[in-house]
Amino acid sequence: MDALEARYRHLLDALAGAAPGRAPVLLAVSKTQPAGAVRALAALGQRAFGENYVQEALAKQRALADLALEWHLIGPLQSNKCREAARHFDWVQSVDRPKLPPLLDRERPAGRPPLNVLLQVNIDGEASKSGCAPEAVMALADQVAALPRLRLRGLMAIPAPHPEPERRRAAFARMRHLFETLRAAHPGCDTLSMGMSEDYPLALAEGATLVRVGSALFGPRPPKP
Ligand SMILES: *Cc1c(COP(=O)(O)O)cnc(C)c1O
């Protein structure tokens, strides 16, 4: 077993152990990793991959076109990238303002299933972060749910990297609460995306259904090309 496989097995065990009976999804964050690393992980059974930059993702997707993978856009989305995002991804996790849903809906090709959408929430109210305010979630959710080529699936957040685990845990708990409120209005929502290499166990303890893990899986990231 090589290092990648060992880290992968360890993560799958951690996911199964942290949430018995829930089967949280592992999203492998492959930004800055070469296509060969994605191929190696796909050979071990991994299907869902997350990318931050549209152009980088498209190049990788072309190199891996022979594989049936599921691609998630997790980086900030500019409106001039909505066309490519809607065409080349299965999920967009970073919808955070009213301008984006109509563009994604318009650009989603008719022959594909509806685009899965998560609303990104700026849960710690950080000035420099993407994500909508928690108070804006319900209106944005209603907007997405009303568009035929989009499918509202839930919420995503990147809490502030507080050194104290309890502060992060509190942010995850606020996300869980927001997710429950959302589900009361939109029962089809099934995905709460939170937790990365450093804090996925805390996120799972607070109800994450999908964790986004890069470096704990692939090893340290090569610099952005
Ligand atoms: C890079 C990134 C991750 C993965 O980060 P790691 O710390 O390497 O696990 C998860 N989510 C988002 C939005 C990212 O940009």
Side-chain angles (χ1 to χ4, degrees):
M1 187 160 34
D2 68 6
L4 178 66
E5 180 167 7
R7 288 190 294 258
Y8 184 52
R9 301 278 167 234
H10 173 81
L11 267 168
L12 291 183
D13 286 350
L15 258 62
R22 270 209 296 123
V25 172
L26 173 62
L27 182 69
V29 175
S30 48
K31 64 172 176 229
T32 78
Q33 300 292 342
V38 173
R39 186 176 290 282
L41 199 56
L44 298 174
Q46 177 65 21
R47 215 176 137 249
F49 290 87
E51 289 281 341
N52 289 55
Y53 311 102
V54 171
Q55 296 313 326
E56 181 192 340
L58 295 194
K60 240 172 268 186
Q61 289 172 358
R62 277 192 292 276
L64 299 164
D66 56 312
L67 301 177
L69 302 178
E70 182 182 283
W71 292 97
H72 294 230
L73 182 63
I74 61 173
L77 180 57
Q78 290 152 358
S79 46
N80 64 1
K81 291 287 192 308
C82 279
R83 180 182 168 86
E84 281 163 318
R87 285 168 181 257
H88 298 286
F89 286 84
D90 302 293
W91 292 65
V92 174
Q93 296 205 4
S94 46
V95 171
D96 65 353
R97 55 194 190 279
K99 188 175 181 190
L100 301 177
L103 296 175
L104 292 168
D105 180 72
R106 191 184 73 202
E107 299 295 350
R108 183 65 170 173
R112 310 246 347 241
L115 180 67
N116 296 294
V117 166
L118 299 183
L119 309 179
Q120 184 176 352
V121 182
N122 185 355
I123 193 64
D124 284 310
E126 294 171 278
S128 62
K129 271 270 177 71
S130 320
C132 68
E135 302 74 39
V137 162
M138 287 313 227
L140 201 51
D142 291 344
Q143 189 197 10
V144 170
L147 292 167
R149 304 299 300 137
L150 304 184
R151 183 169 167 212
L152 179 67
R153 298 294 293 269
L155 302 177
M156 182 272 247
I158 313 169
H162 287 300
E164 317 94 276
E166 280 314 309
R167 297 278 297 275
R168 289 198 210 183
R169 183 155 184 162
F172 290 139
R174 291 198 302 281
M175 283 302 299
R176 181 217 283 263
H177 181 76
L178 199 55
F179 184 55
E180 281 161 9
T181 307
L182 174 69
R183 272 175 28 142
H186 295 280
C189 287
D190 57 2
T191 303
L192 179 55
S193 168
M194 58 186 194
M196 323 201 306
S197 293
E198 292 290 309
D199 54 15
Y200 69 86
L202 281 177
L204 289 170
E206 290 297 343
T209 71
L210 180 151
V211 295
R212 309 177 307 268
V213 179
S215 42
L217 185 51
F218 290 105
R221 260 189 291 285
K224 191 176 179 249

